[in-house]
Amino acid sequence: MAASDPETAQRQIDEIDALSSIYGDDWCVVDEDERIFCIKISDCLEQPKWTLRLQVILPSEYPASAPPIYQLNAPWLRGQDYIELTNSLEEIYVKNLGESILYLWVEKIREVLIEKSQSSDAAGPNIEKITEEIDEDNEDDYSLEYQPVQEDTIKTLNFVISESQEDEELPPINHGNPISDRRSTFQAHLAPIVSLKQVKMVLAKLYENKKIASATHNIYAYRIYCEDKQTYLQDCEDDGETAAGGRLLHLMQEESSKQLGKNKRVRKDKKRTEH
């Protein structure tokens, strides 16, 4: 089906309306224009022990011919737990090709959380301990809030600035010094952004440079903390360089984890001083 198929678009709208009605305040719209949504999932409503946030980006071809792009956000979700859960979600998608699957995903995640609550880990995850372990031993491949990015993630950004974006202010862009290695040249560019519109604006501005526009690989990554929703809006692009964008995003996530640990130590030191 074509991306502009009205039937596909209506099925997506109907699914979003249904999920909003079913899950109420736990369902939130991160960016309606980009079709980015987030839902908070817990093992129970009254006294939840295990909680996870599922963030999804819905391509225009979903559900007819493309899967949702998703991220699973929970500080305890690492290693084998992450692998098993993602395998379960992908199995649901394969078994229901062409169907709306977000409700099935949410309830599968809830089922996993309930199982964990009823297991030997019934006390729930010790978030403080996880934070300390990651801060003190940074060798773990899965740092706090690190979510491996699917390699086949489709591009969700276009570089045409619409009239509605003209009011957004282009943030300052810092350009690193070019580095040459084995007949290849690399240059980093950094900009503080607080919205998806600014991501598009920065990319569009960079692509005005002919050298950047004609580069063999233009990888990027971004992270935006949505304080009111307590989740990160993040994505990356490999541009043909396998996993390069994902590694860049991982570095950004590690820096966030280090800063979190640093802030925690400062708070502890302050408490000791006060006592």
Side-chain angles (χ1 to χ4, degrees):
M1 278 188 185
S4 58
D5 180 18
E7 181 182 350
T8 299
Q10 187 59 49
R11 289 176 63 192
Q12 192 173 122
I13 292 171
D14 291 344
E15 182 178 19
I16 292 170
D17 289 344
L19 292 170
S20 177
S21 176
I22 293 170
Y23 298 114
D25 292 340
D26 288 336
W27 172 268
C28 69
V29 179
V30 178
D31 191 308
E32 187 171 8
D33 292 337
E34 298 292 340
R35 294 188 293 275
I36 303 175
F37 307 93
C38 183
I39 180 168
K40 178 183 176 183
I41 310 167
S42 303
D43 56 332
C44 70
L45 296 177
E46 295 181 357
Q47 293 181 326
K49 298 175 182 177
W50 296 87
T51 300
L52 181 151
R53 282 181 170 82
L54 170 67
Q55 180 178 299
V56 294
I57 303 175
L58 302 182
S60 56
E61 300 89 351
Y62 170 81
S65 58
I69 300 167
Y70 69 94
Q71 291 173 352
L72 301 170
N73 296 318
W76 55 267
L77 186 63
R78 301 182 290 156
Q80 192 62 31
D81 284 338
Y82 179 87
I83 294 172
E84 290 178 359
L85 185 51
T86 56
N87 286 344
S88 296
L89 299 186
E90 288 162 13
E91 183 179 350
I92 290 173
Y93 172 72
V94 171
K95 287 182 177 179
N96 298 273
L97 289 174
E99 301 298 327
S100 301
I101 60 167
L102 293 183
Y103 176 80
L104 297 177
W105 275 10
V106 171
E107 292 310 309
K108 178 60 182 180
I109 293 171
R110 193 184 310 281
E111 177 185 319
V112 170
L113 297 180
I114 292 173
E115 289 177 356
K116 291 186 74 66
S117 179
Q118 295 173 346
S119 71
S120 58
D121 297 324
N126 188 336
I127 303 301
E128 182 176 354
K129 182 177 179 181
I130 291 174
T131 304
E132 290 176 345
E133 287 176 352
I134 292 171
D135 182 63
E136 294 170 2
D137 183 7
N138 212 22
E139 295 178 358
D140 196 332
D141 289 338
Y142 292 84
S143 63
L144 184 65
E145 295 189 333
Y146 168 49
Q147 309 301 331
V149 179
Q150 296 169 287
E151 292 185 2
D152 60 350
T153 297
I154 66 168
K155 293 183 179 180
T156 59
L157 297 172
N158 58 69
F159 307 122
V160 178
I161 306 302
S162 64
E163 291 182 2
S164 63
Q165 291 173 288
E166 292 178 356
D167 294 336
E168 285 277 349
E169 182 179 351
L170 176 68
I173 304 175
N174 298 311
H175 308 281
N177 295 323
I179 299 174
S180 296
D181 180 42
R182 287 171 289 182
R183 292 185 294 182
S184 295
T185 301
F186 306 87
Q187 186 177 21
H189 310 276
L190 177 67
I193 51 96
V194 294
S195 69
L196 273 178
K197 292 179 180 179
Q198 286 189 328
V199 174
K200 294 180 181 181
M201 295 176 72
V202 169
L203 291 170
K205 184 64 177 179
L206 289 172
Y207 275 107
E208 290 178 4
N209 185 302
K210 292 182 179 180
K211 287 186 177 181
I212 295 177
S214 61
T216 306
H217 303 291
N218 280 312
I219 68 170
Y220 67 80
Y222 65 84
R223 296 192 87 207
I224 303 170
Y225 182 64
C226 306
E227 187 171 358
D228 56 335
K229 302 175 181 68
Q230 295 184 341
T231 187
Y232 280 96
L233 177 60
Q234 58 187 26
D235 201 359
C236 62
E237 169 59 40
D238 295 335
D239 195 25
E241 186 70 15
T242 304
R247 292 191 182 100
L248 181 59
L249 181 58
H250 189 181
L251 289 173
M252 297 171 69
Q253 292 162 330
E254 284 186 334
E255 286 302 313
S256 296
S257 299
K258 290 177 182 177
Q259 187 61 44
L260 181 65
K262 180 180 178 181
N263 292 341
K264 185 176 180 181
R265 287 196 300 272
V266 169
R267 289 195 297 270
K268 283 185 176 179
D269 291 341
K270 184 178 179 181
K271 286 182 180 179
R272 292 193 189 102
T273 302
E274 290 174 350
H275 289 309

